[in-house]
């Protein structure tokens, strides 16, 4: 056990589990404590959180602790406003509890938004002030860093429900033509099934396309085009220049990334000022991306 001055603290809270980690300044995980709890047991979330944070940080001093949390979060007050999956967290003083148990200042942010800070401090976004971090696969969304800060207005969302078609499939949100109806794993599976393929996952289709199967290649082209629809809107509005893909798209081949990139460059070809968009896959460990993001939150507070 060691005491170190400049290590970073990180906590990931999920409905049913808590992870806490001590990270090196380069993102390496030095110490990890995790535990599960039954969300239906009164007090379980607070007890587990306190216990895990104490066990993680008692013998490892950190400069600060970033907390990744589900639900609606007040980042200034450090509280959870409401959490549908963990109602016990409604009005919960999260940063106070973590700070007291972990003996360091604590900061909270919604977990989906933190991926961008993991990239900013430990991945392909290192040192940049503008870029987009994109979740692909079963979930879809974009985190944006703009002038060095996460764009996270109260009530803002991650882009999955931006409308990309005037008429199309009805989304789970009730609207028609949302981006997520055409650019998630579910869409790809359904499209593959309509083409007669038993397997509709991205790695399998990529293998088939690379082996010369033209229908699989067309499906992947359509999927890349659909992802590019939403990303083109982001590029039009914020010109982040760099798009870092997480999730399923990491397993697609270079042809898939090139196609998205060409689409994005086409919508900015008129603009000499904008950095030509570049699309690449994340280089941070996917399992640790939220913990890295929470550690990045500590670094961002100090920058
Ligand atoms: Zn929707």
């Amino acid at each position: 056990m060691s005491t170190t001055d400049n290590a970073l603290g990180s906590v990931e809270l999920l409905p049913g589990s808590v992870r806490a980690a001590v990270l090196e300044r380069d993102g390496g995980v030095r110490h990890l404590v995790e535990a599960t709890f039954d969300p239906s047991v009164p007090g379980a979330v607070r007890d587990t959180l306190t216990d895990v944070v104490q066990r993680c940080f008692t013998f490892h001093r950190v400069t600060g602790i970033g907390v990744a949390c589900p639900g609606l979060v007040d980042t200034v007050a450090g509280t959870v406003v409401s959490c549908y999956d963990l109602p016990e967290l409604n009005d919960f003083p999260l940063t106070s509890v973590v700070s007291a148990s972990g003996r360091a200042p604590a900061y909270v942010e919604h977990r989906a938004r933190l991926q961008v800070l993991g990239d900013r401090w430990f991945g392909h976004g290192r040192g940049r002030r503008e870029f987009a971090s994109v979740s692909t696969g079963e979930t879809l969304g974009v985190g944006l860093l703009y002038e060095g800060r996460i764009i996270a207005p109260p009530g803002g969302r991650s882009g999955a429900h931006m409308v990309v078609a005037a008429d199309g499939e009805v989304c789970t949100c009730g609207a028609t033509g949302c981006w997520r109806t055409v650019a998630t794993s579910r869409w790809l599976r359904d499209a593959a099934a309509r083409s007669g393929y038993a397997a509709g996952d991205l790695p399998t289709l990529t293998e088939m396309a690379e082996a010369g199967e033209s229908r699989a290649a067309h499906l992947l082209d359509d999927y890349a085009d659909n992802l590019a629809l939403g990303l083109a809107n982001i590029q039009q509005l914020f010109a982040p220049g760099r798009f870092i893909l997480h999730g399923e798209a990491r397993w697609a081949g270079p042809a898939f990334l090139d196609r998205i990139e060409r689409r994005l460059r086409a919508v900015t070809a008129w603009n000499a000022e904008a950095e030509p968009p570049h699309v690449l896959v994340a280089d941070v460990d996917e399992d640790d991306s939220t913990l890295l993001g929470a550690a990045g939150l500590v670094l961002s507070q100090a920058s």
Side-chain angles (χ1 to χ4, degrees):
M1 304 278 185
S2 64
T3 301
T4 308
D5 294 323
N6 61 356
L8 305 165
S10 180
V11 173
E12 180 178 20
L13 178 57
L14 288 167
S17 69
V18 182
R19 289 204 293 168
V22 178
L23 285 89
E24 311 287 355
R25 289 265 158 167
D26 65 0
V29 177
R30 186 195 302 166
H31 182 55
L32 179 73
V33 177
E34 50 195 327
T36 57
F37 63 90
D38 180 349
S40 65
V41 174
V45 56
R46 178 189 275 265
D47 292 347
T48 309
L49 180 68
T50 306
D51 173 58
V52 166
V53 168
Q54 274 175 356
R55 282 197 283 140
C56 186
F57 301 113
T58 294
F59 296 105
H60 296 268
R61 291 307 288 260
V62 291
T63 55
I65 303 169
V67 185
C69 179
L72 183 60
V73 177
D74 182 335
T75 57
V76 177
T79 57
V80 180
V81 178
S82 68
C83 184
Y84 179 77
D85 293 323
L86 272 178
E88 224 178 284
L89 282 184
N90 295 349
D91 298 319
F92 189 77
L94 191 54
T95 55
S96 304
V97 169
V98 170
S99 183
S101 307
R103 301 181 303 147
Y107 316 95
V108 64
E109 180 55 89
H110 187 273
R111 61 187 306 277
R113 287 171 172 159
L114 282 171
Q115 178 175 284
V116 73
L117 286 184
D119 289 330
R120 157 67 183 86
W121 290 99
F122 307 109
H124 283 314
R126 198 182 281 116
R128 288 183 64 97
R129 292 180 61 75
E130 274 89 25
F131 70 90
S133 181
V134 185
S135 298
T136 65
E138 300 296 338
T139 58
L140 178 68
V142 180
L144 274 171
L145 199 76
Y146 187 75
E147 295 186 338
R149 300 275 162 200
I150 300 181
I151 297 182
R157 303 188 70 170
S158 66
H161 297 277
M162 69 171 97
V163 175
V164 295
D167 55 4
E169 194 183 324
V170 175
C171 180
T172 50
C173 75
T176 299
C178 291
W179 189 29
R180 78 187 296 271
T181 64
V182 296
T184 59
S185 307
R186 189 190 58 81
W187 179 88
L188 186 62
R189 277 195 301 272
D190 291 350
R194 284 195 297 274
S195 293
Y197 291 128
D201 61 289
L202 192 66
T204 304
L205 291 168
T206 300
E207 240 174 65
M208 291 162 71
E210 286 173 354
E213 174 82 27
S214 62
R215 272 186 311 159
H218 283 133
L219 272 177
L220 292 177
D221 285 350
D222 289 346
Y223 189 38
D225 289 349
N226 291 349
L227 272 169
L229 282 175
L231 299 182
N233 292 336
I234 300 288
Q235 177 63 22
Q236 289 279 357
L237 285 167
F238 302 103
R242 179 169 297 196
F243 293 82
I244 301 172
L245 306 187
H246 289 255
E248 185 185 53
R250 295 176 84 167
W251 313 117
F256 187 84
L257 302 179
D258 286 350
R259 191 173 177 99
I260 297 175
E261 191 169 284
R262 281 203 306 279
R263 289 272 184 265
L264 297 180
R265 292 197 176 206
V267 301
T268 46
W270 55 274
N271 189 339
E273 279 177 82
E275 176 186 345
H278 184 39
V279 176
L280 65 174
V281 294
D283 61 341
V284 296
D285 189 324
E286 205 81 337
D287 289 341
D288 292 339
S289 65
T290 305
L291 287 174
L292 288 171
L297 185 59
V298 177
L299 291 168
S300 295
Q301 297 295 325
S303 70

